Amino acid sequence: MNINGDATKANTYDAIVIGSGISGGWAAKELCEKGLKTLVLERGRDVKHIVDYPTATLNPWEFKHRNRMPEAFDKENPIATKCYALDEGTEQFFVKDAEHPYVQEKPFDWIRGYQVGGKSLIWARQTQRWSKFDFEANARDGAAVDWPIRYEDIAPWYSHVEKFVGISGNKDGLETLPDGEFLKPWELNCVEKHIQKRVAESYKDRHVIIGRCAHLTEPKQIHYDQGRAQCQARHLCYRGCPYGGYFSSNSSTIPWAAKTGKLTLRPDSVVHSIIYDDVKKKATGVRVIDTHTKQMTEYYARIIFVNAACLNTNLVLLNSTSRRFPNGLGNDSGVLGRYVAFHNYRGNIVADYEGFEDGYYYGRRPTTAFMPNFRNVNKQETDFQRGYMVAFSAARGGWSRGAGQEGFGADFKDKLSDPGAWHVFMMMQAETVPRYENHVRLSTDRKDPWGIPQLVTAIDYTDNDVKVMKDFLEQGADMLEKSGCKNINPYDDHRNPGLDIHEMGGVRMGRDPKTSLLNAHNQLHSVKNVFVTDGAAMTSTGSQNPSITFMALTARAANFAVSEMKKRNL
Ligand SMILES: Cc1cc2nc3c(=O)[nH]c(=O)nc-3n(C[C@H](O)[C@H](O)[C@H](O)COP(=O)(O)OP(=O)(O)OC[C@H]3O[C@@H](n4cnc5c(N)ncnc54)[C@H](O)[C@@H]3O)c2cc1C
Ligand code: SF4
């Protein structure tokens, strides 16, 4: 009895956080800072800041395959290799297809990063706040359910997060993309500024801005305190940044949490399920499989934060069954796993720009030009629902373009180092409307290497998504034409859902427990000591890059949880 009692005590914490990525790192930081003894469980290996970035400073010619993946790898990994960020310098941070199988009832490219830091190591770091229009959209057009919060509820938490993360950006004063706590912005180049001017002259409701991103353009004391330094505009970020120039859990929140002395980080620990106690009527802990020994161990805590990233969070909850919750933890409504949505990236446009031949730019800027959504903002105006952000950049052709040219000797080499003509690339990031049919569930016959049921993905585009894309292709081409671009080529790249890597929903927030899983504080309606604060909690998708919103929701929920614990409500 005593031995069991001691073992239980040793495995007992104030809080458990499942996942150490962008949102889990934030849960760990906030909970540890507030004095909670916190266990972070991470299914992947440990990745320590700087020492575990083996490729961070390599030049292309120092890689065995010149920073390309060999053909055999591409054949073995048809899903992962679709991600533009995977190459010889970054492949160690991406899940390989065969290692973590799932069932695609409909094609879905699930891009994952299983390690300490999760996808925070390999994200593109674009961080636009949501606006009041995004939180009101469902209530306005009746899609999905109403958000239980509004912009004002989250605004202070955006500020809280932005100050710590370090977000560069310009205060643009736009209602559709609220300003935040910004460090010095990056600069648009001459062709982008030209397009910005032409768009402003042609349309009252369209605004080109420089992207807001999680890069330290002018570090403050709080960033130096984290051991981070000025971004050097190298744009080798996906390999891990030894300067800590961009925000990752590894460079920022995890070491910060560790400094409090309250953090226990346990890598190589796959959470199998959450334990629900029918008598106590709450969750008491989690079951964890060690990836090396395959042994299952239980850990206990007063509160549990689920931050395994959207689809894995759905999986953990679906797999957490008990007498009270036979269909998944907190699933009284029956909508667990339903209303999964994503961002529609299918529309792209390429064009040329003749002129500005004396213009160039400094370094490799880690962001791009953006235009916040201008469709259906105040009222329904088109024959499709919602809208899209536009992202574009202009760049000069470089030596790699010249490499295809014929030539020989000094003249040829000189030609290669000449900057080429200007080219513009434009893409859409469109909201998708959550629907009941788009869902994930557990496979009844296939298991993963740890004996956990595989996830089945049944997520697809709708006619609305195609209409949105057609509108972008028309409007984008029109804006580029008005800006004087030539050879404008709009196209649908027919990519599968998932490749946007912005999956959201399945454990949505809402006002009514009959139609949603989480309340306004990200607590499961029916299991108050379990919080879900990653993309799974999202009630709609907005058109902005989502991770800054996951961070703000997490910080807000963690502070709420601590205050509820103090009041003995949890
Ligand atoms: C190439 C790329 C570009 C991107 N660009 C942007 C961008 O510009 N802006 C933006 O906002 N977002 C971007 N994203 C998306 C962004 O990375 C994610 O939204 C974000 O990382 C989600 O945070 P998270 O904490 O939910 O998940 P993650 O960061 O993925 O962390 C989840 C963690 O949970 C762990 N885990 C999973 N299951 C279990 C389990 N059962 N037990 C224990 N641990 C588990 C995983 O191993 C992982 O470490 C991009 C992603 C990629 C890959
Ligand atoms: S661009 Fe900045 S953040 Fe990215 S690798 Fe270079 S220094 Fe680091």
Side-chain angles (χ1 to χ4, degrees), residues 416-428:
L416 288 185
S417 58
D418 277 349
W422 285 95
H423 304 279
V424 180
F425 173 69
M426 187 178 262
M427 58 175 272
M428 66 189 271

Side-chain angles (χ1 to χ4, degrees), residues 10-39:
N11 285 1
T12 301
Y13 296 81
D14 298 324
I16 288 175
V17 178
I18 306 173
S20 64
I22 287 189
S23 62
W26 265 95
K29 170 192 173 290
E30 297 292 311
L31 297 172
C32 287
E33 272 185 324
K34 290 277 180 321
L36 265 57
K37 206 176 133 203
T38 303
L39 173 67

